[in-house]
Amino acid sequence: MLKLTPALALACVAASWAQPSAAVLDQRAQSWKPQQMQGSAQLRIAEIETIVLPEQPSAQLRAAVDDLLLQLQAHTGAAPKLVSEGRPKHALYFELLADGREGGAFTIARERSRVTIRSAERAGWSHALYAIMGELLGARWYWAGDLGYESVPVTSSYFPNRAWRETPAFVQRRFYPVNTDFARRNRLNSVYSFNHNLAKVFNRELFDSQPELFAMVNGYRKPPRGSGGTDRQPDFTQAAAVEVAAQAALRHFEAKPESHSFSLSINDNVLFDTSERTEAIVSPLRYFRGRPDYTDLVFGFMNRVAERVFDQAGAWQTPSGEDRYLTALSYYWTEPAPSIPIHPRVMPVLTSDRAQWHDPDYRQQDRALIRAWVDSGAERVATWDYYFGAPYPYPRQFNQWIAESLQYMAGEGIDVFFSQLPSFWGLDGAKAWFSSELLWDPQQDASALLDEYYDNFFGPASQPMRAFYQTAEEYRNQHEGQADWIKLYKDEASIALFTPAILQEMRGYVQSAAELARAANATPGAAPSRFEQRVEVVSQAFRLTELYADFDQSRRALVAACLDQVAAARVAALLKTYQAADRAYRAYFEHYFANSEYAPARRHLELEQSNPERLARSVLEREQGAFDSLSEDPKLQHQSLRARNFLGPLLPKVAGWFLDYRASEHFKVEASLHAQQADAGLRVSGADIVSIFRTFPVDSGARYEFRLRGSWQVSLDNRANVHVAWLDAEGRTLESEVPLRLPIEHRAEPAAIAFAFVAPENASEVRFRVVVSRQYPGDFLDLSELDFGRLR
């Protein structure tokens, strides 16, 4: 991976400062005008000789001052002294001044040759320094790291004659995780906490003493394990649960008196109480975006906790006079707006994938939802967006919707922002910097910001690099289809969104960009320019996209051939193609993560993958011998109908097999259309997620076969997989695999599918699961046979 050293970076800075540039001038909104007549009463940034640090400067401020010193040295040769006292002239000062503005707002005031940065928060000092570096020295940090830095032309190097004030539209501007240096330099911050947190409040110790405070799900309570992902929710109907939560918040504020918030956000699941008490509160059941509406249940609980914490205990403010809040995610089953007023100090956090605003129905619905929550009675409303780069293995571009949604939310009064953004710098492009700019001022000209990014960051390669990213964005807008919750998230087949032809077109833009960058750096023996290096970062990241696309396309072609029962020679050829694509992708994956400075965290791209090799071998090497079924009824005759609880539909009971599911409005399990008998088989539609599973006893080393007969319609983002897990006598997993992911297609006539296995050493049982999730209108899985038996 080519790397621009800090020394070379500063040399490039000085060169770009000295030479005229065709780059787009900075067009961001400002509260002051730098275009002024120059005169003796003015002060240039280069004339600052001293920086008077405040008492006990924070690490954030020290880092910002260090950046300022480097910028001044590179651009002007100035080297201000750092002192901690005195009132020298030609100096920069820092002052805390409570003025009611939040989010690191600041004022830069010049009094002759002295410049004072004033803010109500220490973070504002750092923000002001980066504003100075940006406006008067042209510093930009478009990406993290040395290579992410660029210098742009400025319109003035003089401090303004009147107060320079900036107040961010969003008082919190946080991406997680984003490089901390990038966050500081782009004036991101963190004020409030609102992650899944009830597992920490309703813990095992509490369960042992007061189990009745925990959800009874389908007739029993389960001890918590301290997991925000898998622990059940508390029983929100219990008055004692309100007191437990209130005391946890009060203890937090006592231990951390300057804390602005305490999270009581639900655990990351829908394991809510299913007792008659909860049923009475949520009935008659309403749905929103196909999911049950539990908002009033959860936020009614939040209201009662807030009354205890604020109205009764009086914990309204920090000792320094800043407001406190209890935060709660408006998430999944609590996404819809409430029908009850919300306590003013409960901060709802609206979780939404606004990358899905390409769907006009979703966009309109989301705008209405924002307005309803803002009118709910809460003083402050936050948002949790999903700006993901990784784990998506392609350029997930949606700058249009970033700009439109941030402007809309700010206009409606939402001013606390959080988003997950595991940056995939080469594929994300401008996303992190562009969003950071708009979070400070969403009224800026978004097109001008993107002009600035492409022209300055890619220089001579600007035009093809813009075409690369915009092609990805336009194609996604046109082809991703109906919105759903973080669509295609962690989906092994998400790359199917992009055709080979569109990926080839995008590669052409990258190649053109590389050629233009090289041509502009034609000096014999010259090291690659920073523009060449940046294009190479994109090229390396996109190579991973291309190889993953080849891998997944070959996998889908192999599965389709096996299901279509094509000639064995054709299956064998496709198996070799798949294996070669698999090796190529995995080899490059290892190389990329070992050598790329701009790769995302490896764990974000290590997705569970289906492997059709077992299916192909079962076609090519059909096992011989008698088949002894271990199933009571492979045809899945319905024995009865029953509902799991008040949330679910009536589901058929079949011998040996079990159904687990997440409730949704249109979920149905009916008889197969292809069953040989009436009321047999399972036809699943409208599923959020459903698992059809059972466990069979096995003997180590014995040969077995699993058989499935079914038809389906699977659309983009609908996932239908077969999972297999071999267990020892203690129920521990020895081996597991996903031998089949059904292809994206409509298969009207049933296909017969078989997998042959040899039970591994120490295996005592095998568990099969047919898992279906994210079914869209028209999607279905129709199973007319499920069987497992021994081959003799």
Side-chain angles (χ1 to χ4, degrees):
M1 173 68 195
L2 296 171
K3 180 180 179 181
L4 194 67
T5 65
L8 182 57
L10 287 176
C12 293
V13 168
S16 64
W17 180 263
Q19 298 297 325
S21 172
V24 173
L25 296 180
D26 180 29
Q27 300 182 46
R28 290 172 295 171
Q30 300 166 342
S31 58
W32 55 280
K33 300 294 185 181
Q35 297 85 359
Q36 307 173 61
M37 295 296 294
Q38 298 178 9
S40 60
Q42 292 194 313
L43 179 69
R44 290 193 307 121
I45 180 66
E47 296 177 68
I48 295 296
E49 300 172 351
T50 307
I51 298 175
V52 183
L53 294 173
E55 185 179 352
Q56 297 181 337
S58 66
Q60 179 181 7
L61 179 60
R62 284 190 173 277
V65 169
D66 287 343
D67 278 341
L68 177 61
L69 294 176
L70 284 172
Q71 291 293 315
L72 287 170
Q73 180 65 39
H75 286 309
T76 70
K81 297 180 296 182
L82 300 182
V83 301
S84 57
E85 57 185 4
R87 288 286 297 171
K89 296 181 179 180
H90 298 282
L92 188 64
Y93 298 85
F94 302 91
E95 181 180 318
L96 286 176
L97 181 65
D99 58 8
R101 295 185 297 158
E102 301 176 277
F106 60 82
T107 299
I108 301 173
R110 182 177 71 83
E111 299 168 3
R112 296 184 179 275
S113 67
R114 295 183 178 93
V115 176
T116 302
I117 295 174
R118 298 187 175 99
S119 177
E121 306 165 13
R122 291 178 181 272
W125 296 338
S126 170
H127 298 336
L129 290 182
Y130 285 108
I132 290 170
M133 285 181 258
E135 304 299 342
L136 305 186
L137 296 173
R140 299 287 188 275
W141 286 271
Y142 292 114
W143 287 357
D146 291 339
L147 193 58
Y149 173 82
E150 186 58 54
S151 178
V152 306
V154 297
T155 55
S156 174
S157 60
Y158 289 82
F159 286 99
N161 287 330
R162 57 190 178 87
W164 170 358
R165 293 185 177 88
E166 292 194 24
T167 302
F170 289 83
V171 300
Q172 173 171 299
R173 309 167 298 281
R174 187 183 180 199
F175 289 111
Y176 176 83
V178 164
N179 175 280
T180 54
D181 288 343
F182 176 91
R184 182 187 70 252
R185 289 163 172 165
N186 286 283
R187 304 189 292 181
L188 300 175
N189 68 339
S190 182
V191 181
Y192 302 103
S193 171
F194 36 68
N195 208 348
H196 306 285
N197 199 44
L198 287 183
K200 295 179 180 178
V201 176
F202 292 85
N203 53 32
R204 180 56 189 263
E205 182 181 358
L206 182 64
F207 181 88
D208 291 340
S209 61
Q210 294 178 274
E212 69 277 5
L213 302 188
F214 293 75
M216 181 177 288
V217 180
N218 302 328
Y220 73 97
R221 293 187 175 91
K222 185 177 180 180
R225 299 186 300 175
S227 168
T230 60
D231 279 4
R232 298 176 174 192
Q233 311 294 348
D235 183 346
F236 291 109
T237 70
Q238 296 281 358
V242 171
E243 185 62 20
V244 166
Q247 290 302 320
L250 291 169
R251 286 194 301 271
H252 170 81
F253 290 136
E254 182 178 3
K256 299 179 178 181
E258 290 301 326
S259 175
H260 296 82
S261 64
F262 183 69
S263 174
L264 288 172
S265 292
I266 57 175
N267 296 329
D268 194 5
N269 58 60
V270 293
L271 297 173
F272 290 94
D273 180 76
T274 58
S275 70
E276 292 180 355
R277 294 186 308 277
T278 297
E279 180 182 3
I281 290 178
V282 300
S283 296
L285 198 60
R286 298 177 300 173
Y287 292 89
F288 180 79
R289 292 177 176 164
R291 297 181 286 270
D293 179 354
Y294 272 42
T295 296
D296 285 0
L297 171 71
V298 172
F299 279 85
F301 168 83
M302 290 298 303
N303 281 346
R304 295 191 295 275
V305 177
E307 290 167 4
R308 179 72 182 85
V309 171
F310 300 116
D311 299 335
Q312 298 176 25
W316 295 94
Q317 292 183 321
T318 68
S320 57
E322 296 178 280
D323 292 339
R324 288 172 171 158
Y325 298 89
L326 297 179
T327 61
L329 294 175
S330 166
Y331 177 73
Y332 222 65
W333 285 14
T334 62
E335 189 180 8
S339 64
I340 57 175
I342 301 301
H343 190 285
R345 289 300 176 84
V346 170
M347 185 193 300
V349 184
L350 312 191
T351 58
S352 178
D353 179 15
R354 297 187 178 94
Q356 301 297 311
W357 274 27
H358 63 77
D359 180 337
D361 292 337
Y362 183 92
R363 183 168 69 250
Q364 181 179 7
Q365 190 179 64
D366 205 44
R367 285 170 172 259
L369 185 65
I370 289 167
R371 288 194 298 271
W373 273 107
V374 168
D375 292 338
S376 67
E379 282 183 9
R380 175 156 272 163
V381 179
T383 181
W384 180 315
D385 280 50
Y386 299 99
Y387 281 18
F388 289 106
Y392 292 87
Y394 55 79
R396 187 173 181 253
Q397 294 290 301
F398 51 97
N399 290 325
Q400 175 185 357
W401 309 121
I402 289 173
E404 188 171 322
S405 63
L406 289 180
Q407 186 177 57
Y408 182 80
M409 287 189 289
E412 291 293 332
I414 292 179
D415 62 359
V416 176
F417 177 90
F418 174 92
S419 179
Q420 289 164 277
L421 180 56
S423 285
F424 204 158
W425 293 99
L427 300 185
D428 282 342
K431 188 185 294 180
W433 175 81
F434 179 68
S435 304
S436 300
E437 285 292 316
L438 291 173
L439 285 167
W440 191 272
D441 179 7
Q443 300 303 321
Q444 295 181 78
D445 185 334
S447 296
L449 286 174
L450 291 173
D451 287 344
E452 177 191 328
Y453 172 79
Y454 290 118
D455 290 346
N456 291 320
F457 197 59
F458 291 110
S462 171
Q463 185 173 352
M465 290 312 304
R466 177 195 293 270
F468 170 80
Y469 289 112
Q470 290 188 346
T471 297
E473 180 164 359
E474 291 167 5
Y475 192 86
R476 177 183 170 276
N477 280 342
Q478 294 168 11
H479 295 90
E480 195 173 78
Q482 179 180 320
D484 197 14
W485 185 267
I486 324 179
K487 191 164 187 175
L488 298 170
Y489 179 67
K490 291 189 175 180
D491 182 2
E492 68 171 42
S494 67
I495 192 63
L497 171 65
F498 290 88
T499 64
I502 199 68
L503 294 177
Q504 185 176 12
E505 179 185 341
M506 292 167 65
R507 169 52 69 181
Y509 295 131
V510 176
Q511 290 175 339
S512 177
E515 292 166 2
L516 289 170
R518 280 195 300 270
N521 186 34
T523 304
S529 71
R530 61 194 186 279
F531 303 120
E532 290 177 87
Q533 293 182 63
R534 291 163 184 163
V535 172
E536 180 63 15
V537 170
V538 177
S539 181
Q540 290 178 359
F542 191 59
R543 184 59 183 151
L544 194 71
T545 300
E546 294 170 314
L547 289 170
Y548 187 79
D550 291 344
F551 160 62
D552 185 63
Q553 187 176 22
S554 68
R555 172 171 53 190
R556 288 184 281 120
L558 176 58
V559 170
C562 293
L563 297 178
D564 291 339
Q565 299 180 338
V566 303
R570 176 62 176 160
V571 172
L574 288 171
L575 175 59
K576 289 183 178 179
T577 300
Y578 163 74
Q579 291 171 330
D582 183 26
R583 288 193 300 271
Y585 170 68
R586 295 183 190 281
Y588 186 78
F589 185 96
E590 296 300 328
H591 171 80
Y592 179 69
F593 280 95
N595 294 280
S596 177
E597 188 177 347
Y598 282 92
R602 179 189 179 108
R603 68 182 183 278
H604 292 308
L605 285 181
E606 291 181 319
L607 306 180
E608 183 180 49
Q609 301 283 347
S610 66
N611 184 347
E613 291 189 53
R614 184 179 298 280
L615 174 64
R617 289 197 301 270
S618 295
V619 170
L620 297 171
E621 307 163 6
R622 184 70 179 177
E623 293 283 348
Q624 302 298 316
F627 176 81
D628 295 338
S629 175
L630 297 176
S631 297
E632 301 89 336
D633 178 15
K635 304 302 182 183
L636 308 173
Q637 186 69 41
H638 298 185
Q639 298 176 340
S640 62
L641 294 175
R642 65 179 182 183
R644 183 177 68 179
N645 54 50
F646 70 91
L647 286 169
L650 291 174
L651 299 178
K653 180 180 180 181
V654 298
W657 290 89
F658 301 91
L659 279 76
D660 192 16
Y661 63 92
R662 196 155 58 198
S664 55
E665 183 175 9
H666 304 294
F667 174 54
K668 292 188 297 186
V669 181
E670 304 169 293
S672 168
L673 296 184
H674 304 286
Q676 297 174 358
Q677 307 169 37
D679 295 327
L682 302 171
R683 184 181 178 91
V684 178
S685 61
D688 185 355
I689 183 170
V690 60
S691 175
I692 304 167
F693 65 97
R694 74 171 294 178
T695 302
F696 296 93
V698 295
D699 296 322
S700 295
R703 296 185 304 146
Y704 296 92
E705 188 171 84
F706 177 74
R707 297 176 176 178
L708 177 152
R709 183 174 180 268
S711 63
W712 52 81
Q713 176 168 308
V714 174
S715 62
L716 184 71
D717 194 41
N718 172 205
R719 309 155 197 207
N721 300 343
V722 175
H723 296 250
V724 182
W726 300 91
L727 313 174
D728 65 14
E730 283 73 42
R732 295 173 297 207
T733 301
L734 299 172
E735 298 177 10
S736 64
E737 62 179 295
V738 183
L740 177 64
R741 159 73 179 253
L742 292 182
I744 300 169
E745 64 174 9
H746 179 205
R747 186 170 291 262
E749 294 301 317
I753 303 170
F755 306 104
F757 301 91
V758 175
E761 184 178 355
N762 297 323
S764 178
E765 294 179 317
V766 62
R767 177 174 298 135
F768 288 95
R769 291 189 296 134
V770 180
V771 181
V772 184
S773 62
R774 294 176 176 257
Q775 286 184 312
Y776 290 80
D779 287 341
F780 67 88
L781 174 62
D782 188 307
L783 300 174
S784 51
E785 181 179 347
L786 288 175
D787 201 1
F788 178 73
R790 186 162 184 165
L791 294 171
R792 299 187 185 278

